Amino acid sequence: MNWDSDLYTQKHSFVYQYGEGLLDLLNPQPAERILDLGCGSGELTQQIADRGAQVVGIDSSAEMLTKARAQFPALELHQMDATNFSFPEKFDAIFSNAVLHWVPDYEAVVRQMADALKPTGRLVIEFGGQHNVAAIVGAVTRHLTAYGYTFRPFWFFPSIGAYTPVLERNGFAVRLAQHYDRNTLLSDPETGLTDWIEQFGAYFFEDVRPDDKAAILEKVNADLRPTLFRDGRWYADYKRLRIIAERTV
Ligand code: BEZ
Protein backbone atom coordinates (compact mmCIF):
# COMPACT_ATOMS: atom_id res chain seq x y z
CA MET A 1 0.00 0.00 0.00
CA ASN A 2 1.18 3.56 -0.72
CA TRP A 3 1.34 5.80 2.32
CA ASP A 4 0.52 9.51 2.24
CA SER A 5 3.13 10.51 4.82
CA ASP A 6 1.93 14.15 4.95
CA LEU A 7 -1.69 13.18 5.69
CA TYR A 8 -0.25 10.82 8.31
CA THR A 9 1.73 13.45 10.22
CA GLN A 10 -0.89 16.20 9.75
CA LYS A 11 -4.07 14.31 10.65
CA HIS A 12 -3.08 10.97 12.20
CA SER A 13 -0.24 11.89 14.53
CA PHE A 14 -2.24 10.21 17.32
CA VAL A 15 -0.74 6.92 16.08
CA TYR A 16 2.71 7.80 17.38
CA GLN A 17 1.42 10.00 20.22
CA TYR A 18 -0.40 7.00 21.73
CA GLY A 19 2.79 4.98 21.16
CA GLU A 20 4.57 7.07 23.79
CA GLY A 21 2.79 5.01 26.51
CA LEU A 22 4.16 1.85 24.95
CA LEU A 23 7.61 3.40 24.90
CA ASP A 24 7.40 3.83 28.68
CA LEU A 25 6.74 0.08 28.96
CA LEU A 26 9.74 -0.61 26.72
CA ASN A 27 11.82 1.49 29.10
CA PRO A 28 14.85 1.64 26.80
CA GLN A 29 18.18 1.68 28.59
CA PRO A 30 21.35 3.46 27.49
CA ALA A 31 23.45 1.26 25.20
CA GLU A 32 20.68 -1.28 24.64
CA ARG A 33 20.29 -2.32 21.01
CA ILE A 34 16.63 -1.93 20.00
CA LEU A 35 14.72 -2.63 16.80
CA ASP A 36 11.71 -0.43 15.98
CA LEU A 37 9.70 -2.69 13.68
CA GLY A 38 7.51 -0.56 11.42
CA CYS A 39 9.07 2.75 12.38
CA GLY A 40 6.90 4.81 9.98
CA SER A 41 7.82 8.48 10.04
CA GLY A 42 10.34 7.91 12.84
CA GLU A 43 8.95 9.91 15.79
CA LEU A 44 9.07 7.00 18.25
CA THR A 45 12.37 5.73 16.86
CA GLN A 46 13.87 9.13 17.66
CA GLN A 47 12.43 9.03 21.18
CA ILE A 48 14.10 5.65 21.74
CA ALA A 49 17.38 7.18 20.54
CA ASP A 50 16.82 10.18 22.83
CA ARG A 51 16.77 7.81 25.79
CA GLY A 52 20.29 6.70 24.95
CA ALA A 53 19.60 3.37 23.27
CA GLN A 54 21.15 2.30 20.00
CA VAL A 55 18.07 2.03 17.77
CA VAL A 56 17.49 0.69 14.27
CA GLY A 57 14.19 1.38 12.47
CA ILE A 58 12.74 -0.72 9.68
CA ASP A 59 9.67 -0.14 7.55
CA SER A 60 8.36 -1.53 4.29
CA SER A 61 7.14 1.87 3.05
CA ALA A 62 9.57 3.98 1.02
CA GLU A 63 7.27 7.02 1.46
CA MET A 64 7.35 6.77 5.25
CA LEU A 65 11.11 6.22 5.32
CA THR A 66 11.65 9.30 3.17
CA LYS A 67 9.68 11.32 5.71
CA ALA A 68 11.55 9.72 8.64
CA ARG A 69 14.96 10.46 7.08
CA ALA A 70 13.99 14.08 6.39
CA GLN A 71 12.78 14.59 9.97
CA PHE A 72 15.50 12.59 11.77
CA PRO A 73 18.61 12.36 9.57
CA ALA A 74 20.78 10.78 12.29
CA LEU A 75 18.63 7.65 12.66
CA GLU A 76 19.66 4.27 11.23
CA LEU A 77 16.71 3.24 9.04
CA HIS A 78 16.22 0.44 6.52
CA GLN A 79 13.51 -0.52 4.07
CA MET A 80 12.70 -4.11 5.06
CA ASP A 81 9.69 -6.38 5.30
CA ALA A 82 8.54 -7.54 8.75
CA THR A 83 8.43 -11.15 7.52
CA ASN A 84 11.92 -11.08 6.07
CA PHE A 85 14.65 -9.07 7.76
CA SER A 86 18.00 -9.88 9.27
CA PHE A 87 20.86 -8.08 10.98
CA PRO A 88 24.33 -9.34 11.82
CA GLU A 89 23.87 -8.44 15.49
CA LYS A 90 20.93 -9.50 17.69
CA PHE A 91 18.73 -7.03 19.62
CA ASP A 92 18.00 -6.59 23.34
CA ALA A 93 14.44 -5.61 22.53
CA ILE A 94 11.97 -5.26 19.68
CA PHE A 95 9.39 -2.48 19.80
CA SER A 96 6.44 -2.22 17.44
CA ASN A 97 3.53 0.22 17.57
CA ALA A 98 0.41 -0.02 15.37
CA VAL A 99 2.05 -2.13 12.69
CA LEU A 100 1.54 -5.87 13.10
CA HIS A 101 -2.12 -5.85 12.00
CA TRP A 102 -0.85 -4.97 8.50
CA VAL A 103 1.03 -8.25 8.09
CA PRO A 104 -1.19 -11.25 7.29
CA ASP A 105 1.62 -13.79 7.74
CA TYR A 106 1.82 -13.17 11.50
CA GLU A 107 3.55 -16.51 12.20
CA ALA A 108 6.43 -15.47 9.93
CA VAL A 109 6.77 -12.15 11.78
CA VAL A 110 6.84 -13.86 15.17
CA ARG A 111 9.53 -16.29 13.91
CA GLN A 112 11.56 -13.37 12.58
CA MET A 113 11.25 -11.43 15.84
CA ALA A 114 12.35 -14.47 17.89
CA ASP A 115 15.31 -14.95 15.58
CA ALA A 116 16.37 -11.29 15.78
CA LEU A 117 16.43 -11.17 19.61
CA LYS A 118 19.21 -12.10 21.98
CA PRO A 119 18.36 -14.92 24.41
CA THR A 120 16.12 -13.27 27.09
CA GLY A 121 15.49 -10.34 24.73
CA ARG A 122 12.08 -8.69 25.09
CA LEU A 123 9.20 -7.86 22.81
CA VAL A 124 7.03 -4.81 23.48
CA ILE A 125 4.28 -4.58 20.88
CA GLU A 126 0.86 -3.06 20.37
CA PHE A 127 -1.49 -3.38 17.42
CA GLY A 128 -5.17 -3.78 16.55
CA GLY A 129 -6.93 -6.48 18.57
CA GLN A 130 -10.07 -8.49 17.89
CA HIS A 131 -13.02 -6.28 16.78
CA ASN A 132 -10.74 -3.32 16.13
CA VAL A 133 -12.52 -0.58 14.13
CA ALA A 134 -15.41 -3.05 13.71
CA ALA A 135 -18.04 -0.32 13.29
CA ILE A 136 -16.05 1.32 10.47
CA VAL A 137 -15.22 -1.97 8.73
CA GLY A 138 -18.84 -3.13 9.08
CA ALA A 139 -20.31 0.05 7.57
CA VAL A 140 -17.85 0.20 4.66
CA THR A 141 -18.36 -3.51 3.92
CA ARG A 142 -22.16 -3.18 3.97
CA HIS A 143 -22.15 -0.32 1.50
CA LEU A 144 -19.52 -1.86 -0.78
CA THR A 145 -21.71 -4.98 -0.95
CA ALA A 146 -24.83 -2.91 -1.64
CA TYR A 147 -23.00 -1.34 -4.61
CA GLY A 148 -22.11 -4.81 -5.93
CA TYR A 149 -18.46 -4.94 -4.85
CA THR A 150 -16.90 -7.90 -3.07
CA PHE A 151 -14.58 -7.11 -0.23
CA ARG A 152 -11.93 -9.28 1.39
CA PRO A 153 -10.80 -8.21 4.89
CA PHE A 154 -7.09 -7.49 4.92
CA TRP A 155 -6.18 -6.65 8.51
CA PHE A 156 -5.22 -9.17 11.16
CA PHE A 157 -6.88 -8.29 14.50
CA PRO A 158 -6.37 -11.28 16.83
CA SER A 159 -7.67 -11.95 20.33
CA ILE A 160 -5.24 -12.63 23.18
CA GLY A 161 -6.26 -16.30 22.93
CA ALA A 162 -5.35 -16.48 19.25
CA TYR A 163 -2.05 -14.58 19.42
CA THR A 164 -0.29 -15.63 22.59
CA PRO A 165 -0.01 -19.34 21.59
CA VAL A 166 1.84 -18.22 18.47
CA LEU A 167 4.35 -16.41 20.67
CA GLU A 168 4.68 -19.40 23.00
CA ARG A 169 5.23 -21.82 20.08
CA ASN A 170 8.12 -19.60 19.01
CA GLY A 171 9.92 -19.56 22.34
CA PHE A 172 8.39 -16.50 24.03
CA ALA A 173 7.03 -16.31 27.57
CA VAL A 174 4.16 -13.81 27.65
CA ARG A 175 4.53 -11.42 30.61
CA LEU A 176 1.63 -9.09 29.85
CA ALA A 177 -1.31 -9.33 27.46
CA GLN A 178 -3.99 -6.69 27.43
CA HIS A 179 -6.93 -6.21 25.06
CA TYR A 180 -8.51 -2.81 25.64
CA ASP A 181 -10.90 -0.30 24.09
CA ARG A 182 -9.42 2.97 22.96
CA ASN A 183 -11.96 5.22 21.31
CA THR A 184 -9.70 7.47 19.30
CA LEU A 185 -10.45 11.12 18.57
CA LEU A 186 -9.93 11.94 14.89
CA SER A 187 -8.43 15.31 14.22
CA ASP A 188 -10.79 16.97 11.72
CA PRO A 189 -14.30 17.67 13.09
CA GLU A 190 -15.78 17.58 9.57
CA THR A 191 -13.76 15.08 7.56
CA GLY A 192 -12.21 12.99 10.35
CA LEU A 193 -13.86 9.70 9.41
CA THR A 194 -13.29 10.15 5.67
CA ASP A 195 -9.64 11.14 6.30
CA TRP A 196 -9.16 7.97 8.35
CA ILE A 197 -10.68 5.75 5.64
CA GLU A 198 -8.63 7.50 2.93
CA GLN A 199 -5.39 7.05 4.86
CA PHE A 200 -5.78 3.56 6.26
CA GLY A 201 -8.53 1.94 4.20
CA ALA A 202 -7.27 2.49 0.67
CA TYR A 203 -7.61 -1.26 0.04
CA PHE A 204 -11.37 -1.01 0.50
CA PHE A 205 -11.64 0.98 -2.70
CA GLU A 206 -8.95 -0.54 -4.90
CA ASP A 207 -11.41 -1.66 -7.59
CA VAL A 208 -14.19 0.84 -6.89
CA ARG A 209 -15.25 3.52 -9.40
CA PRO A 210 -14.51 7.03 -8.06
CA ASP A 211 -18.19 8.11 -8.18
CA ASP A 212 -19.24 4.95 -6.29
CA LYS A 213 -16.48 5.57 -3.76
CA ALA A 214 -17.75 9.12 -3.10
CA ALA A 215 -21.33 7.86 -2.68
CA ILE A 216 -20.24 5.02 -0.37
CA LEU A 217 -18.18 7.37 1.80
CA GLU A 218 -21.19 9.66 2.15
CA LYS A 219 -23.41 6.75 3.24
CA VAL A 220 -20.78 5.45 5.66
CA ASN A 221 -20.52 8.91 7.26
CA ALA A 222 -24.32 9.09 7.62
CA ASP A 223 -24.52 5.53 9.05
CA LEU A 224 -21.81 6.03 11.64
CA ARG A 225 -22.72 9.54 12.74
CA PRO A 226 -25.09 8.38 15.52
CA THR A 227 -22.40 6.17 17.10
CA LEU A 228 -18.97 7.59 16.21
CA PHE A 229 -19.71 11.35 16.14
CA ARG A 230 -19.94 12.76 19.65
CA ASP A 231 -19.86 16.36 20.88
CA GLY A 232 -18.93 17.62 17.45
CA ARG A 233 -16.00 15.25 16.89
CA TRP A 234 -15.38 11.94 15.10
CA TYR A 235 -13.97 8.92 16.95
CA ALA A 236 -12.66 5.61 15.61
CA ASP A 237 -13.59 2.49 17.60
CA TYR A 238 -10.09 1.17 18.21
CA LYS A 239 -9.41 -1.99 20.24
CA ARG A 240 -5.75 -2.56 21.07
CA LEU A 241 -3.74 -5.66 21.80
CA ARG A 242 -0.73 -4.82 23.96
CA ILE A 243 1.85 -7.51 24.68
CA ILE A 244 5.13 -7.82 26.54
CA ALA A 245 6.95 -11.11 26.03
CA GLU A 246 10.43 -12.41 26.73
CA ARG A 247 12.45 -14.82 24.64
CA THR A 248 13.18 -17.86 26.76
CA VAL A 249 14.70 -20.38 24.35
C1 BEZ B 1 -4.76 0.43 14.17
O1 BEZ B 1 -3.77 1.05 14.56
O2 BEZ B 1 -5.41 -0.30 14.91
C2 BEZ B 1 -5.20 0.54 12.77
C3 BEZ B 1 -4.71 1.53 11.99
C4 BEZ B 1 -5.12 1.60 10.70
C5 BEZ B 1 -5.99 0.69 10.19
C6 BEZ B 1 -6.48 -0.28 10.97
C7 BEZ B 1 -6.08 -0.36 12.27
Side-chain angles (χ1 to χ4, degrees), residues 8 15-16 35-46 48 55-61 64-65 68-69 71-72 75-80 95-99:
Y8 182 76
V15 175
Y16 49 81
L35 178 67
D36 183 3
L37 193 161
C39 61
S41 44
E43 284 79 4
L44 295 171
T45 327
Q46 182 60 48
I48 296 171
V55 65
V56 176
I58 65 170
D59 206 285
S60 62
S61 162
M64 290 303 242
L65 286 170
R69 289 187 178 113
Q71 297 194 113
F72 310 109
L75 288 176
E76 179 184 341
L77 304 171
H78 302 276
Q79 186 174 13
M80 288 183 182
F95 173 84
S96 182
N97 178 56
V99 170

Side-chain angles (χ1 to χ4, degrees), residues 3 14-15 97-99 101-102 126-129 132-133 154-155 157 182 196 200-201 238-240:
W3 281 90
F14 64 79
V15 175
N97 178 56
V99 170
H101 46 254
W102 291 102
E126 181 162 322
F127 58 107
N132 192 32
V133 290
F154 44 87
W155 291 310
F157 296 140
R182 195 196 74 202
W196 190 94
F200 299 114
Y238 276 62
K239 310 258 184 282
R240 317 308 293 161

Side-chain angles (χ1 to χ4, degrees), residues 38-205:
C39 61
S41 44
E43 284 79 4
L44 295 171
T45 327
Q46 182 60 48
Q47 289 190 36
I48 296 171
D50 291 344
R51 298 199 195 188
Q54 184 201 335
V55 65
V56 176
I58 65 170
D59 206 285
S60 62
S61 162
E63 294 92 336
M64 290 303 242
L65 286 170
T66 299
K67 180 97 182 182
R69 289 187 178 113
Q71 297 194 113
F72 310 109
L75 288 176
E76 179 184 341
L77 304 171
H78 302 276
Q79 186 174 13
M80 288 183 182
D81 192 293
T83 60
N84 182 18
F85 63 87
S86 75
F87 289 91
E89 216 185 312
K90 306 276 185 196
F91 294 92
D92 296 291
I94 296 178
F95 173 84
S96 182
N97 178 56
V99 170
L100 296 178
H101 46 254
W102 291 102
V103 193
D105 193 355
Y106 55 92
E107 293 251 13
V109 185
V110 171
R111 273 197 306 275
Q112 279 285 315
M113 294 192 295
D115 187 57
L117 281 171
K118 294 178 185 171
T120 80
R122 67 196 186 283
L123 202 58
V124 180
I125 58 180
E126 181 162 322
F127 58 107
Q130 190 179 36
H131 306 311
N132 192 32
V133 290
I136 300 176
V137 174
V140 177
T141 306
R142 262 195 319 281
H143 289 293
L144 281 170
T145 306
Y147 273 73
Y149 295 101
T150 46
F151 165 69
R152 279 169 284 106
F154 44 87
W155 291 310
F156 162 64
F157 296 140
S159 63
I160 290 178
Y163 195 66
T164 53
V166 182
L167 292 169
E168 288 169 352
R169 276 202 298 281
N170 284 278
F172 285 102
V174 176
R175 303 296 185 212
L176 175 141
Q178 192 183 8
H179 187 200
Y180 67 98
D181 289 359
R182 195 196 74 202
N183 285 315
T184 298
L185 178 64
L186 302 176
S187 72
D188 194 303
E190 294 299 319
T191 60
L193 180 62
T194 299
D195 291 339
W196 190 94
I197 294 170
E198 293 278 6
Q199 171 102 68
F200 299 114
Y203 285 129
F204 283 129
F205 297 106

